[in-house]
Amino acid sequence: MRPYILAEANWKHIHDQPIDLAILPWGATEAHNYHLPYATDVIEADAIAAESARLAWEQGAKVMVLPTIPFGVNTGQTDILLDINLYPSTQKAILNDIIEVLNRQGIRKLLILNSHGGNDFKTMLRELGVRYPDMFLTTCSWFQTLDKTTYFEEPKGDHADEMETSLLLHLRPHLVLPLDEAGDGAAKKWKVQGLREGWAWAERKWSKVTADTGIGNPKAATAERGKRYFEDVTQKLSGLLVELANLDVNDLYE
Ligand SMILES: [Zn+2]
């Protein structure tokens, strides 16, 4: 039983345990090219949250990982079989209810550990921060913590790419099809220059952009690359968890 994982903990052990920081991993359930499981983002969220929390716990941080929310925003994938969409307004309602519990029980710091590119919690946290002024609300996407170019041959992908495939080969190799069965993750580019360059934004209609649902070629993925990336991501995140857990919310700026 890991005392910093709520799903494994029991009330006997945690009812008088101090908790300085709650961590809410948030994934998605969606197709990941031909070769990765629908739960890819959930598997990554579970594993990265648990290992980061373990490292933080060993440094004395009183953290608690809540169960991963398995569904994310998939508004651009309405025609892809069983991609389960939660609207952002639904996410905000879920988040509100979780924050209400934490706030009532005096657990005043929350980190949403995001595992899916379609999720975007910033505007929600702005709004919920007004509603719950005693809460310190933070969010972080683990896939933005490191520069992928130093880990992978094809760092430009963003969905079921070499990075995600390497991670799954490290974390759940039995759920990854042989890579010769994967699509090449080729993705079409926007015709509009500003969208193509990324300084303007519109949602991508996924099935028009990629044939295999992947974006980024997964073929160079290896378990070793996944392990190295996983260790560095969780190491870096554990530093954030320690800082947040120990943070005096009345003394935030220097
Ligand atoms: Zn993913």
Side-chain angles (χ1 to χ4, degrees):
M1 189 269 278
R2 294 172 288 181
Y4 48 86
I5 306 281
L6 185 59
E8 297 181 8
N10 51 60
W11 191 65
K12 178 176 181 183
H13 280 101
I14 70 162
H15 76 277
D16 57 359
Q17 174 178 311
I19 299 167
D20 290 326
L21 173 69
I23 300 153
L24 179 65
W26 206 310
T29 298
E30 57 175 347
H32 272 75
N33 199 322
Y34 297 124
H35 64 294
L36 294 181
Y38 269 65
T40 290
D41 292 0
V42 175
I43 292 166
E44 292 161 347
D46 280 344
I48 289 169
E51 177 62 9
S52 308
R54 185 185 71 80
L55 293 167
W57 183 267
E58 283 184 352
Q59 294 172 67
K62 300 299 175 208
V63 298
M64 182 61 80
V65 179
L66 309 182
T68 301
I69 310 278
F71 303 129
V73 171
N74 279 82
T75 42
Q77 288 109 345
T78 51
D79 54 349
I80 296 178
L81 184 66
L82 286 175
D83 275 21
I84 306 294
N85 174 49
L86 283 194
Y87 287 113
S89 54
T90 311
Q91 285 190 316
K92 199 185 85 185
I94 294 169
L95 204 46
N96 178 80
D97 291 2
I98 293 170
I99 291 171
E100 187 184 295
V101 172
L102 298 174
N103 184 60
R104 183 169 61 238
Q105 302 189 351
I107 299 168
R108 294 281 157 73
K109 294 181 234 170
L110 170 68
L111 172 69
I112 303 171
L113 183 63
N114 180 36
S115 188
H116 168 62
N119 294 339
D120 182 2
F121 298 104
K122 267 171 67 177
T123 55
M124 299 175 200
L125 295 191
R126 289 180 196 275
E127 189 169 333
L128 293 167
V130 173
R131 210 174 289 167
Y132 299 96
D134 294 332
M135 292 292 300
F136 187 70
L137 304 171
T138 50
T139 181
C140 163
S141 296
W142 61 259
F143 47 86
Q144 291 173 341
T145 55
L146 295 174
D147 177 5
K148 280 159 68 177
T149 59
T150 61
Y151 295 86
F152 302 106
E153 277 177 38
E154 301 264 358
K156 285 231 170 73
D158 63 23
H159 184 68
D161 59 351
E162 182 189 334
M163 180 270 276
E164 282 202 292
T165 304
S166 296
L167 272 180
L168 267 283
L169 285 170
H170 170 53
L171 297 170
R172 296 283 192 287
H174 63 290
L175 296 180
V176 182
L177 288 179
L179 290 186
D180 59 7
E181 294 185 40
D184 62 8
K188 292 184 177 152
K189 303 246 180 329
W190 288 104
K191 288 182 177 172
V192 175
Q193 183 181 359
L195 296 174
R196 200 167 56 242
E197 292 176 0
W199 50 271
W201 182 87
E203 181 157 64
R204 289 173 290 186
K205 179 74 178 162
W206 217 258
S207 58
K208 298 274 191 279
V209 172
T210 156
D212 53 35
T213 82
I215 292 182
N217 193 335
K219 300 288 168 114
T222 67
E224 292 68 33
R225 285 179 188 175
K227 180 171 188 283
R228 182 170 159 249
Y229 183 72
F230 178 80
E231 287 174 352
D232 287 359
V233 167
T234 52
Q235 187 66 44
K236 186 165 183 182
L237 275 172
S238 72
L240 176 67
L241 302 189
V242 170
E243 277 197 283
L244 289 176
N246 295 334
L247 184 67
D248 175 357
V249 295
N250 297 309
D251 185 18
L252 294 173
Y253 310 103
E254 57 186 16

